[in-house]
Amino acid sequence: MSNSNNKNKKSNLKTIKKQEKSRIAFLLVAVVLFIVILISTVFNDIVQIYRNKNQTEELNIRKQELLEEEKSLKSEVIKLQDPDYIARYAREKYLYTKDGEKILTIIDVPESSNKESSSNSN
């Protein structure tokens, strides 16, 4: 009987060792999986923070541009309330004239054309 008891004890010990090894393996896999998920989450958060920082910088630049444009437009609105400015603007931009005025168009001739025409006339 003692021989069979020894065999039972040995088989029980082997079973217990196998169960412990299985538990350790399961815990190890669970810990590794947890670490991988944690690292992935932290990495994604870091990437998102970097993107947000770049977007914030771009939006701040755009905000400054829009503020400058707003300032310019407000100045233009104030100017457009002056009838003299409106008349001058219309004459310059749209070639409007007062009664009796004539429009002269001045064509800017490049210097190379001037030299050619003067040498041709000689």
Short mmCIF file of all heavy atoms in Angstrom, two decimals, residues 22-78:
data_model
loop_
_atom_site.label_atom_id
_atom_site.label_comp_id
_atom_site.label_asym_id
_atom_site.label_seq_id
_atom_site.Cartn_x
_atom_site.Cartn_y
_atom_site.Cartn_z
N SER A 22 0.66 26.17 -15.36
CA SER A 22 -0.40 26.72 -16.20
C SER A 22 -0.83 28.09 -15.69
O SER A 22 -1.04 29.02 -16.47
CB SER A 22 -1.62 25.79 -16.23
OG SER A 22 -1.30 24.57 -16.82
N ARG A 23 -0.97 28.21 -14.38
CA ARG A 23 -1.35 29.49 -13.79
C ARG A 23 -0.29 30.55 -14.05
O ARG A 23 -0.58 31.69 -14.41
CB ARG A 23 -1.57 29.35 -12.28
CG ARG A 23 -2.84 28.65 -11.92
CD ARG A 23 -3.00 28.56 -10.43
NE ARG A 23 -4.10 27.67 -10.09
CZ ARG A 23 -4.23 27.02 -8.95
NH1 ARG A 23 -3.31 27.17 -8.01
NH2 ARG A 23 -5.25 26.24 -8.73
N ILE A 24 0.96 30.18 -13.85
CA ILE A 24 2.07 31.11 -14.08
C ILE A 24 2.11 31.53 -15.54
O ILE A 24 2.28 32.71 -15.87
CB ILE A 24 3.41 30.49 -13.62
CG1 ILE A 24 3.44 30.39 -12.09
CG2 ILE A 24 4.59 31.34 -14.11
CD1 ILE A 24 4.63 29.64 -11.54
N ALA A 25 1.94 30.57 -16.44
CA ALA A 25 1.94 30.88 -17.87
C ALA A 25 0.78 31.81 -18.21
O ALA A 25 0.95 32.78 -18.96
CB ALA A 25 1.86 29.60 -18.70
N PHE A 26 -0.40 31.53 -17.66
CA PHE A 26 -1.56 32.38 -17.91
C PHE A 26 -1.32 33.79 -17.38
O PHE A 26 -1.61 34.78 -18.05
CB PHE A 26 -2.81 31.77 -17.26
CG PHE A 26 -4.02 32.64 -17.38
CD1 PHE A 26 -4.70 32.74 -18.58
CD2 PHE A 26 -4.46 33.39 -16.29
CE1 PHE A 26 -5.81 33.55 -18.69
CE2 PHE A 26 -5.57 34.21 -16.40
CZ PHE A 26 -6.24 34.30 -17.60
N LEU A 27 -0.80 33.89 -16.16
CA LEU A 27 -0.51 35.20 -15.57
C LEU A 27 0.55 35.94 -16.40
O LEU A 27 0.44 37.16 -16.60
CB LEU A 27 -0.06 35.06 -14.13
CG LEU A 27 -1.15 34.70 -13.11
CD1 LEU A 27 -0.53 34.47 -11.74
CD2 LEU A 27 -2.18 35.80 -13.05
N LEU A 28 1.55 35.24 -16.86
CA LEU A 28 2.60 35.85 -17.66
C LEU A 28 2.02 36.40 -18.97
O LEU A 28 2.31 37.54 -19.35
CB LEU A 28 3.71 34.84 -17.95
CG LEU A 28 4.92 35.38 -18.71
CD1 LEU A 28 5.60 36.47 -17.89
CD2 LEU A 28 5.89 34.26 -19.01
N VAL A 29 1.20 35.60 -19.61
CA VAL A 29 0.56 36.04 -20.86
C VAL A 29 -0.34 37.25 -20.57
O VAL A 29 -0.35 38.23 -21.33
CB VAL A 29 -0.25 34.89 -21.51
CG1 VAL A 29 -1.14 35.40 -22.63
CG2 VAL A 29 0.70 33.82 -22.04
N ALA A 30 -1.09 37.21 -19.49
CA ALA A 30 -1.98 38.31 -19.13
C ALA A 30 -1.18 39.58 -18.86
O ALA A 30 -1.56 40.67 -19.31
CB ALA A 30 -2.83 37.94 -17.92
N VAL A 31 -0.08 39.46 -18.13
CA VAL A 31 0.76 40.63 -17.83
C VAL A 31 1.37 41.20 -19.10
O VAL A 31 1.37 42.42 -19.31
CB VAL A 31 1.84 40.26 -16.78
CG1 VAL A 31 2.89 41.36 -16.68
CG2 VAL A 31 1.21 40.00 -15.44
N VAL A 32 1.89 40.34 -19.96
CA VAL A 32 2.49 40.80 -21.22
C VAL A 32 1.43 41.49 -22.08
O VAL A 32 1.67 42.56 -22.65
CB VAL A 32 3.15 39.63 -21.98
CG1 VAL A 32 3.52 40.03 -23.40
CG2 VAL A 32 4.38 39.14 -21.23
N LEU A 33 0.25 40.90 -22.16
CA LEU A 33 -0.84 41.49 -22.93
C LEU A 33 -1.23 42.86 -22.35
O LEU A 33 -1.42 43.83 -23.09
CB LEU A 33 -2.04 40.56 -22.95
CG LEU A 33 -3.22 40.98 -23.82
CD1 LEU A 33 -2.80 41.04 -25.28
CD2 LEU A 33 -4.36 40.00 -23.64
N PHE A 34 -1.31 42.95 -21.04
CA PHE A 34 -1.62 44.22 -20.38
C PHE A 34 -0.58 45.28 -20.69
O PHE A 34 -0.90 46.43 -20.98
CB PHE A 34 -1.75 44.01 -18.86
CG PHE A 34 -1.99 45.27 -18.10
CD1 PHE A 34 -3.22 45.88 -18.12
CD2 PHE A 34 -0.96 45.86 -17.37
CE1 PHE A 34 -3.45 47.06 -17.41
CE2 PHE A 34 -1.17 47.02 -16.67
CZ PHE A 34 -2.42 47.63 -16.69
N ILE A 35 0.70 44.90 -20.64
CA ILE A 35 1.79 45.84 -20.92
C ILE A 35 1.73 46.31 -22.37
O ILE A 35 1.91 47.50 -22.66
CB ILE A 35 3.16 45.20 -20.58
CG1 ILE A 35 3.29 45.05 -19.06
CG2 ILE A 35 4.31 46.03 -21.15
CD1 ILE A 35 4.50 44.26 -18.62
N VAL A 36 1.46 45.39 -23.29
CA VAL A 36 1.37 45.77 -24.71
C VAL A 36 0.22 46.75 -24.92
O VAL A 36 0.37 47.77 -25.61
CB VAL A 36 1.20 44.51 -25.59
CG1 VAL A 36 0.80 44.89 -27.01
CG2 VAL A 36 2.48 43.70 -25.61
N ILE A 37 -0.92 46.46 -24.32
CA ILE A 37 -2.07 47.36 -24.45
C ILE A 37 -1.76 48.72 -23.83
O ILE A 37 -2.08 49.77 -24.40
CB ILE A 37 -3.33 46.73 -23.82
CG1 ILE A 37 -3.79 45.54 -24.65
CG2 ILE A 37 -4.45 47.75 -23.68
CD1 ILE A 37 -4.89 44.72 -24.00
N LEU A 38 -1.11 48.72 -22.68
CA LEU A 38 -0.75 49.97 -22.00
C LEU A 38 0.21 50.80 -22.85
O LEU A 38 0.01 52.01 -23.03
CB LEU A 38 -0.13 49.66 -20.64
CG LEU A 38 0.24 50.85 -19.77
CD1 LEU A 38 -1.02 51.59 -19.35
CD2 LEU A 38 1.02 50.40 -18.55
N ILE A 39 1.24 50.17 -23.41
CA ILE A 39 2.21 50.88 -24.24
C ILE A 39 1.53 51.42 -25.49
O ILE A 39 1.76 52.56 -25.90
CB ILE A 39 3.39 49.95 -24.61
CG1 ILE A 39 4.26 49.70 -23.37
CG2 ILE A 39 4.23 50.55 -25.73
CD1 ILE A 39 5.34 48.67 -23.55
N SER A 40 0.66 50.62 -26.09
CA SER A 40 -0.06 51.06 -27.29
C SER A 40 -0.93 52.28 -26.98
O SER A 40 -0.95 53.24 -27.74
CB SER A 40 -0.92 49.91 -27.81
OG SER A 40 -1.75 50.36 -28.84
N THR A 41 -1.62 52.25 -25.87
CA THR A 41 -2.48 53.36 -25.48
C THR A 41 -1.66 54.62 -25.22
O THR A 41 -2.02 55.71 -25.68
CB THR A 41 -3.29 52.99 -24.22
OG1 THR A 41 -4.05 51.81 -24.48
CG2 THR A 41 -4.23 54.11 -23.81
N VAL A 42 -0.58 54.48 -24.51
CA VAL A 42 0.28 55.64 -24.21
C VAL A 42 0.87 56.21 -25.50
O VAL A 42 0.89 57.42 -25.70
CB VAL A 42 1.40 55.24 -23.22
CG1 VAL A 42 2.44 56.34 -23.10
CG2 VAL A 42 0.81 54.92 -21.86
N PHE A 43 1.31 55.33 -26.40
CA PHE A 43 1.86 55.79 -27.68
C PHE A 43 0.81 56.55 -28.48
O PHE A 43 1.10 57.62 -29.02
CB PHE A 43 2.39 54.61 -28.49
CG PHE A 43 2.95 54.99 -29.81
CD1 PHE A 43 4.19 55.60 -29.90
CD2 PHE A 43 2.23 54.77 -30.98
CE1 PHE A 43 4.71 55.98 -31.13
CE2 PHE A 43 2.74 55.15 -32.21
CZ PHE A 43 3.98 55.74 -32.28
N ASN A 44 -0.40 56.02 -28.56
CA ASN A 44 -1.47 56.70 -29.28
C ASN A 44 -1.78 58.06 -28.65
O ASN A 44 -2.04 59.03 -29.37
CB ASN A 44 -2.74 55.84 -29.32
CG ASN A 44 -2.61 54.68 -30.27
OD1 ASN A 44 -1.82 54.71 -31.21
ND2 ASN A 44 -3.37 53.63 -30.03
N ASP A 45 -1.76 58.14 -27.34
CA ASP A 45 -2.00 59.41 -26.66
C ASP A 45 -0.90 60.43 -26.98
O ASP A 45 -1.18 61.60 -27.20
CB ASP A 45 -2.12 59.21 -25.15
CG ASP A 45 -3.40 58.50 -24.75
OD1 ASP A 45 -4.32 58.42 -25.59
OD2 ASP A 45 -3.47 58.01 -23.59
N ILE A 46 0.33 59.97 -27.01
CA ILE A 46 1.45 60.86 -27.32
C ILE A 46 1.32 61.38 -28.75
O ILE A 46 1.53 62.57 -29.01
CB ILE A 46 2.80 60.14 -27.10
CG1 ILE A 46 3.04 59.92 -25.61
CG2 ILE A 46 3.95 60.93 -27.73
CD1 ILE A 46 4.23 59.04 -25.29
N VAL A 47 0.98 60.51 -29.68
CA VAL A 47 0.80 60.92 -31.07
C VAL A 47 -0.33 61.94 -31.17
O VAL A 47 -0.21 62.95 -31.86
CB VAL A 47 0.53 59.69 -31.97
CG1 VAL A 47 0.06 60.12 -33.35
CG2 VAL A 47 1.77 58.83 -32.08
N GLN A 48 -1.43 61.71 -30.47
CA GLN A 48 -2.56 62.64 -30.50
C GLN A 48 -2.18 63.99 -29.90
O GLN A 48 -2.57 65.03 -30.41
CB GLN A 48 -3.76 62.04 -29.76
CG GLN A 48 -5.03 62.83 -29.92
CD GLN A 48 -5.50 62.92 -31.36
OE1 GLN A 48 -5.42 61.94 -32.10
NE2 GLN A 48 -5.96 64.07 -31.77
N ILE A 49 -1.42 63.97 -28.82
CA ILE A 49 -0.96 65.23 -28.21
C ILE A 49 -0.09 66.01 -29.20
O ILE A 49 -0.24 67.22 -29.35
CB ILE A 49 -0.19 64.94 -26.90
CG1 ILE A 49 -1.16 64.48 -25.81
CG2 ILE A 49 0.60 66.17 -26.45
CD1 ILE A 49 -0.49 63.94 -24.58
N TYR A 50 0.80 65.32 -29.90
CA TYR A 50 1.66 65.96 -30.89
C TYR A 50 0.83 66.58 -32.01
O TYR A 50 1.06 67.72 -32.41
CB TYR A 50 2.65 64.94 -31.45
CG TYR A 50 3.58 65.49 -32.49
CD1 TYR A 50 4.64 66.31 -32.14
CD2 TYR A 50 3.39 65.21 -33.84
CE1 TYR A 50 5.50 66.84 -33.09
CE2 TYR A 50 4.23 65.73 -34.80
CZ TYR A 50 5.28 66.53 -34.42
OH TYR A 50 6.11 67.05 -35.38
N ARG A 51 -0.16 65.83 -32.51
CA ARG A 51 -1.03 66.35 -33.56
C ARG A 51 -1.81 67.58 -33.08
O ARG A 51 -1.95 68.57 -33.80
CB ARG A 51 -2.01 65.28 -34.02
CG ARG A 51 -1.38 64.20 -34.87
CD ARG A 51 -2.42 63.18 -35.30
NE ARG A 51 -1.79 62.08 -36.01
CZ ARG A 51 -2.30 60.88 -36.13
NH1 ARG A 51 -3.48 60.62 -35.58
NH2 ARG A 51 -1.67 59.94 -36.78
N ASN A 52 -2.31 67.49 -31.86
CA ASN A 52 -3.08 68.62 -31.31
C ASN A 52 -2.20 69.86 -31.16
O ASN A 52 -2.65 70.98 -31.39
CB ASN A 52 -3.70 68.25 -29.96
CG ASN A 52 -4.86 67.29 -30.11
OD1 ASN A 52 -5.39 67.08 -31.20
ND2 ASN A 52 -5.26 66.67 -29.02
N LYS A 53 -0.95 69.66 -30.76
CA LYS A 53 -0.02 70.78 -30.61
C LYS A 53 0.22 71.44 -31.96
O LYS A 53 0.18 72.67 -32.07
CB LYS A 53 1.29 70.28 -30.00
CG LYS A 53 2.28 71.38 -29.74
CD LYS A 53 3.55 70.84 -29.10
CE LYS A 53 4.55 71.95 -28.88
NZ LYS A 53 5.80 71.46 -28.33
N ASN A 54 0.46 70.64 -32.99
CA ASN A 54 0.67 71.20 -34.33
C ASN A 54 -0.58 71.93 -34.82
O ASN A 54 -0.49 73.01 -35.41
CB ASN A 54 1.06 70.10 -35.32
CG ASN A 54 2.48 69.63 -35.13
OD1 ASN A 54 3.29 70.31 -34.51
ND2 ASN A 54 2.78 68.46 -35.64
N GLN A 55 -1.73 71.33 -34.60
CA GLN A 55 -2.97 71.96 -35.03
C GLN A 55 -3.21 73.27 -34.28
O GLN A 55 -3.66 74.25 -34.87
CB GLN A 55 -4.15 71.00 -34.81
CG GLN A 55 -5.45 71.51 -35.37
CD GLN A 55 -6.59 70.53 -35.17
OE1 GLN A 55 -6.51 69.63 -34.35
NE2 GLN A 55 -7.65 70.71 -35.92
N THR A 56 -2.88 73.31 -33.00
CA THR A 56 -3.02 74.53 -32.22
C THR A 56 -2.13 75.64 -32.78
O THR A 56 -2.57 76.79 -32.91
CB THR A 56 -2.67 74.27 -30.74
OG1 THR A 56 -3.52 73.25 -30.24
CG2 THR A 56 -2.80 75.52 -29.90
N GLU A 57 -0.91 75.30 -33.14
CA GLU A 57 0.00 76.29 -33.72
C GLU A 57 -0.54 76.81 -35.04
O GLU A 57 -0.53 78.03 -35.28
CB GLU A 57 1.39 75.68 -33.92
CG GLU A 57 2.13 75.41 -32.63
CD GLU A 57 3.43 74.65 -32.83
OE1 GLU A 57 3.79 74.36 -34.01
OE2 GLU A 57 4.08 74.33 -31.84
N GLU A 58 -1.04 75.92 -35.89
CA GLU A 58 -1.60 76.33 -37.18
C GLU A 58 -2.82 77.22 -36.97
O GLU A 58 -2.98 78.23 -37.67
CB GLU A 58 -1.98 75.11 -38.01
CG GLU A 58 -0.79 74.31 -38.51
CD GLU A 58 -1.20 73.00 -39.16
OE1 GLU A 58 -2.41 72.73 -39.32
OE2 GLU A 58 -0.29 72.22 -39.51
N LEU A 59 -3.66 76.86 -36.03
CA LEU A 59 -4.86 77.65 -35.78
C LEU A 59 -4.53 79.02 -35.19
O LEU A 59 -5.20 80.01 -35.49
CB LEU A 59 -5.82 76.89 -34.85
CG LEU A 59 -6.50 75.66 -35.49
CD1 LEU A 59 -7.29 74.90 -34.44
CD2 LEU A 59 -7.38 76.06 -36.65
N ASN A 60 -3.49 79.10 -34.37
CA ASN A 60 -3.06 80.39 -33.83
C ASN A 60 -2.55 81.30 -34.94
O ASN A 60 -2.82 82.50 -34.95
CB ASN A 60 -2.00 80.22 -32.74
CG ASN A 60 -2.61 79.79 -31.42
OD1 ASN A 60 -3.76 80.08 -31.13
ND2 ASN A 60 -1.83 79.09 -30.61
N ILE A 61 -1.81 80.71 -35.88
CA ILE A 61 -1.32 81.49 -37.03
C ILE A 61 -2.50 81.98 -37.86
O ILE A 61 -2.56 83.15 -38.25
CB ILE A 61 -0.35 80.64 -37.88
CG1 ILE A 61 0.96 80.40 -37.12
CG2 ILE A 61 -0.07 81.31 -39.23
CD1 ILE A 61 1.87 79.39 -37.76
N ARG A 62 -3.45 81.10 -38.11
CA ARG A 62 -4.64 81.48 -38.89
C ARG A 62 -5.44 82.56 -38.16
O ARG A 62 -5.96 83.49 -38.78
CB ARG A 62 -5.51 80.24 -39.13
CG ARG A 62 -6.76 80.50 -39.92
CD ARG A 62 -6.45 80.82 -41.36
NE ARG A 62 -7.71 81.01 -42.06
CZ ARG A 62 -7.95 81.99 -42.91
NH1 ARG A 62 -7.00 82.85 -43.19
NH2 ARG A 62 -9.11 82.11 -43.48
N LYS A 63 -5.52 82.44 -36.83
CA LYS A 63 -6.23 83.45 -36.04
C LYS A 63 -5.59 84.82 -36.20
O LYS A 63 -6.28 85.82 -36.38
CB LYS A 63 -6.23 83.04 -34.56
CG LYS A 63 -6.88 84.03 -33.65
CD LYS A 63 -6.75 83.60 -32.20
CE LYS A 63 -7.25 84.68 -31.26
NZ LYS A 63 -7.00 84.33 -29.86
N GLN A 64 -4.25 84.87 -36.15
CA GLN A 64 -3.55 86.15 -36.32
C GLN A 64 -3.82 86.74 -37.70
O GLN A 64 -4.04 87.94 -37.84
CB GLN A 64 -2.04 85.96 -36.11
CG GLN A 64 -1.64 85.77 -34.67
CD GLN A 64 -2.01 86.98 -33.82
OE1 GLN A 64 -1.95 88.12 -34.25
NE2 GLN A 64 -2.42 86.70 -32.60
N GLU A 65 -3.80 85.87 -38.72
CA GLU A 65 -4.08 86.34 -40.08
C GLU A 65 -5.49 86.92 -40.16
O GLU A 65 -5.71 87.98 -40.76
CB GLU A 65 -3.93 85.20 -41.09
CG GLU A 65 -2.51 84.72 -41.28
CD GLU A 65 -2.42 83.45 -42.11
OE1 GLU A 65 -3.48 82.85 -42.44
OE2 GLU A 65 -1.30 83.04 -42.43
N LEU A 66 -6.45 86.23 -39.57
CA LEU A 66 -7.83 86.70 -39.60
C LEU A 66 -8.02 87.99 -38.81
O LEU A 66 -8.79 88.87 -39.22
CB LEU A 66 -8.77 85.61 -39.09
CG LEU A 66 -8.94 84.40 -40.00
CD1 LEU A 66 -9.76 83.33 -39.31
CD2 LEU A 66 -9.57 84.79 -41.32
N LEU A 67 -7.31 88.12 -37.69
CA LEU A 67 -7.39 89.37 -36.92
C LEU A 67 -6.84 90.54 -37.72
O LEU A 67 -7.40 91.64 -37.69
CB LEU A 67 -6.65 89.22 -35.59
CG LEU A 67 -7.33 88.34 -34.54
CD1 LEU A 67 -6.42 88.13 -33.33
CD2 LEU A 67 -8.67 88.92 -34.12
N GLU A 68 -5.74 90.32 -38.44
CA GLU A 68 -5.16 91.37 -39.28
C GLU A 68 -6.13 91.73 -40.41
O GLU A 68 -6.30 92.90 -40.73
CB GLU A 68 -3.81 90.93 -39.83
CG GLU A 68 -2.72 90.87 -38.79
CD GLU A 68 -1.43 90.28 -39.32
OE1 GLU A 68 -1.28 90.16 -40.55
OE2 GLU A 68 -0.57 89.94 -38.50
N GLU A 69 -6.74 90.71 -41.01
CA GLU A 69 -7.70 90.95 -42.08
C GLU A 69 -8.91 91.72 -41.54
O GLU A 69 -9.42 92.64 -42.19
CB GLU A 69 -8.15 89.63 -42.70
CG GLU A 69 -9.10 89.79 -43.86
CD GLU A 69 -9.53 88.47 -44.46
OE1 GLU A 69 -9.00 87.42 -44.06
OE2 GLU A 69 -10.42 88.50 -45.34
N GLU A 70 -9.37 91.35 -40.35
CA GLU A 70 -10.50 92.06 -39.74
C GLU A 70 -10.15 93.53 -39.51
O GLU A 70 -10.96 94.42 -39.79
CB GLU A 70 -10.88 91.40 -38.41
CG GLU A 70 -12.01 92.10 -37.69
CD GLU A 70 -12.28 91.56 -36.30
OE1 GLU A 70 -11.34 91.03 -35.68
OE2 GLU A 70 -13.42 91.69 -35.84
N LYS A 71 -8.95 93.79 -39.02
CA LYS A 71 -8.51 95.17 -38.78
C LYS A 71 -8.50 95.95 -40.09
O LYS A 71 -8.96 97.10 -40.15
CB LYS A 71 -7.13 95.14 -38.14
CG LYS A 71 -6.60 96.48 -37.73
CD LYS A 71 -5.24 96.32 -37.05
CE LYS A 71 -4.67 97.66 -36.67
NZ LYS A 71 -3.34 97.52 -36.05
N SER A 72 -8.00 95.33 -41.14
CA SER A 72 -7.94 95.98 -42.45
C SER A 72 -9.35 96.26 -42.98
O SER A 72 -9.62 97.34 -43.51
CB SER A 72 -7.18 95.08 -43.44
OG SER A 72 -7.26 95.59 -44.73
N LEU A 73 -10.24 95.30 -42.82
CA LEU A 73 -11.62 95.48 -43.30
C LEU A 73 -12.36 96.55 -42.51
O LEU A 73 -13.13 97.33 -43.08
CB LEU A 73 -12.37 94.15 -43.25
CG LEU A 73 -11.93 93.10 -44.28
CD1 LEU A 73 -12.62 91.78 -44.02
CD2 LEU A 73 -12.18 93.58 -45.69
N LYS A 74 -12.12 96.62 -41.20
CA LYS A 74 -12.74 97.67 -40.40
C LYS A 74 -12.26 99.04 -40.86
O LYS A 74 -13.04 99.99 -40.94
CB LYS A 74 -12.43 97.47 -38.92
CG LYS A 74 -13.26 96.39 -38.27
CD LYS A 74 -12.95 96.27 -36.79
CE LYS A 74 -13.82 95.21 -36.13
NZ LYS A 74 -13.54 95.07 -34.70
N SER A 75 -10.98 99.14 -41.18
CA SER A 75 -10.42 100.40 -41.68
C SER A 75 -11.08 100.76 -43.02
O SER A 75 -11.41 101.92 -43.26
CB SER A 75 -8.91 100.27 -41.83
OG SER A 75 -8.38 101.37 -42.49
N GLU A 76 -11.25 99.75 -43.86
CA GLU A 76 -11.87 99.99 -45.16
C GLU A 76 -13.33 100.43 -45.00
O GLU A 76 -13.80 101.30 -45.74
CB GLU A 76 -11.79 98.71 -46.01
CG GLU A 76 -12.19 98.89 -47.45
CD GLU A 76 -11.19 99.73 -48.26
OE1 GLU A 76 -10.02 99.86 -47.83
OE2 GLU A 76 -11.60 100.25 -49.30
N VAL A 77 -14.05 99.85 -44.05
CA VAL A 77 -15.43 100.24 -43.80
C VAL A 77 -15.50 101.70 -43.39
O VAL A 77 -16.36 102.46 -43.86
CB VAL A 77 -16.07 99.33 -42.71
CG1 VAL A 77 -17.37 99.92 -42.19
CG2 VAL A 77 -16.31 97.93 -43.26
N ILE A 78 -14.60 102.12 -42.52
CA ILE A 78 -14.58 103.52 -42.08
C ILE A 78 -14.29 104.43 -43.27
O ILE A 78 -14.94 105.47 -43.44
CB ILE A 78 -13.54 103.71 -40.95
CG1 ILE A 78 -14.01 102.98 -39.70
CG2 ILE A 78 -13.30 105.18 -40.69
CD1 ILE A 78 -12.98 102.90 -38.60
#
